[in-house]
Amino acid sequence: MKQDIEKLLEKYYAGESTLEEEKALRDFFRGPSVPAHLENQAGPFRYFVEVRKEQPSPAFNHRLANRLGSAGRIRSLTTWGLRMAASVALLAGGFVGGYYYSNRVSAPTDSLETSSTVAIKKVLNFDPAAQTSASERIQAVNQSYELAEADQAITQLLINTLNFDDNVNVRLAACEALMRLPNEPGVREALIQSLKIQTDPYVQIMLIETLVSIQEKRAVDAMQRLAQNRQLLEAVRLKAEEGLNRLAQTKNRSAS
């Protein structure tokens, strides 16, 4: 069984696992017989078991309606069962998770950290036992705007927050922060992968806008899948179609 789990973990971190395999991983890490050497991989699989059903704030609702340009197109973006039913899909993709984080963020650095950097890392560090509030995490995300230069570890924490945080407002704040860092290593790829796995319509729409704003043409495939998925809300499909058109126009202008 241990060997099978380790093979599933390899597929999971490579972004090749199926929903059934991810459920098997989740069930395994929730069980009583997790080997000591695999305990450090258990966090993400246990975290969403206790996910809280939180709705976006009225401010985000208003901003989203403005972004779409036509509030009448939104049928009901407060149907959060859609998000919860597929919450395990948020764990897919090899660029997130404890393994990636432990190999990228925990590496020692030679530079001295400022008090702000330390404070941000302390709040955003992926630790289900930390008991931080959503407002504290949003504040930490916003503090990243004040850094004099990009910090690779904090950038990775913002990516993890976008994909792991159970509060939609925190995820939206992380997406906005990453929008400012399109040229940092791994950010563009992370945003594309996030669009493939996110299930919350608010986050999907913001990711589409972000990828269009940075003219990331590699996101076309992910947007096409959303545009063709009839199980999604109409607002998301329309925004994906709009994003495809805008990226196509950018491509045409570049070619001419």
Side-chain angles (χ1 to χ4, degrees):
M1 180 64 177
K2 182 185 73 173
Q3 186 176 9
D4 292 340
I5 289 297
E6 291 179 348
K7 288 181 178 179
L8 286 182
L9 281 171
E10 290 179 5
K11 293 182 65 177
Y12 167 72
Y13 289 122
E16 300 172 351
S17 56
T18 65
L19 289 178
E20 289 76 13
E21 289 169 334
E22 289 162 17
K23 181 180 183 302
L25 285 169
R26 189 174 73 254
D27 292 343
F28 173 79
F29 282 109
R30 290 172 59 191
S33 304
V34 178
H37 74 285
L38 292 179
E39 271 292 336
N40 64 336
Q41 309 295 327
F45 299 98
R46 293 171 178 167
Y47 187 50
F48 278 91
V49 174
E50 303 299 329
V51 65
R52 297 190 297 273
K53 298 181 180 179
E54 301 191 36
Q55 295 189 14
S57 66
F60 273 118
N61 286 344
H62 179 70
R63 288 167 59 191
L64 179 60
N66 289 336
R67 286 173 182 271
L68 287 175
S70 176
R73 290 179 176 178
I74 306 176
R75 290 177 179 173
S76 175
L77 293 185
T78 55
T79 308
W80 300 105
L82 176 68
R83 171 167 69 97
M84 299 300 299
S87 61
V88 68
L90 192 58
L91 297 173
F95 73 98
V96 294
Y99 179 83
Y100 186 97
Y101 175 77
S102 64
N103 281 275
R104 288 289 301 276
V105 177
S106 61
T109 60
D110 297 327
S111 59
L112 295 176
E113 294 185 318
T114 66
S115 58
S116 296
T117 302
V118 172
I120 294 170
K121 290 180 180 179
K122 183 177 180 180
V123 175
L124 295 185
N125 186 30
F126 184 72
D127 182 5
Q131 300 288 326
T132 59
S133 68
S135 61
E136 289 174 325
R137 299 195 298 279
I138 290 176
Q139 183 179 7
V141 170
N142 291 338
Q143 284 178 330
S144 69
Y145 289 69
E146 302 172 4
L147 298 178
E149 57 184 25
D151 182 285
Q152 184 177 0
I154 288 179
T155 299
Q156 183 58 47
L157 283 171
L158 290 172
I159 293 171
N160 289 350
T161 300
L162 170 62
N163 290 282
F164 281 130
D165 202 281
D166 62 306
N167 183 287
V168 64
N169 290 335
V170 180
R171 300 209 305 276
L172 288 166
C175 186
E176 286 188 318
L178 288 167
M179 189 188 303
R180 301 170 54 252
L181 304 170
N183 297 322
E184 287 302 300
V187 168
R188 288 174 175 264
E189 181 63 29
L191 291 171
I192 295 170
Q193 294 300 324
S194 187
L195 182 60
K196 295 179 181 178
I197 65 175
Q198 292 282 352
T199 59
D200 183 277
Y202 283 82
V203 182
Q204 289 171 326
I205 288 171
M206 181 172 283
L207 278 168
I208 292 169
E209 288 204 338
T210 299
L211 289 163
V212 171
S213 70
I214 63 176
Q215 300 181 11
E216 182 48 71
K217 301 178 184 63
R218 293 177 299 168
V220 166
D221 289 344
M223 291 187 195
Q224 285 178 337
R225 282 194 289 271
L226 292 179
Q228 296 168 2
N229 187 347
R230 294 298 169 184
Q231 296 182 348
L232 297 180
L233 293 177
E234 182 183 10
V236 177
R237 298 200 308 272
L238 290 172
K239 183 53 89 172
E241 291 173 0
E242 178 189 327
L244 288 169
N245 291 333
R246 290 168 62 186
L247 286 176
Q249 291 171 3
T250 301
K251 183 178 179 180
N252 292 335
R253 284 196 298 269
S254 300
S256 60

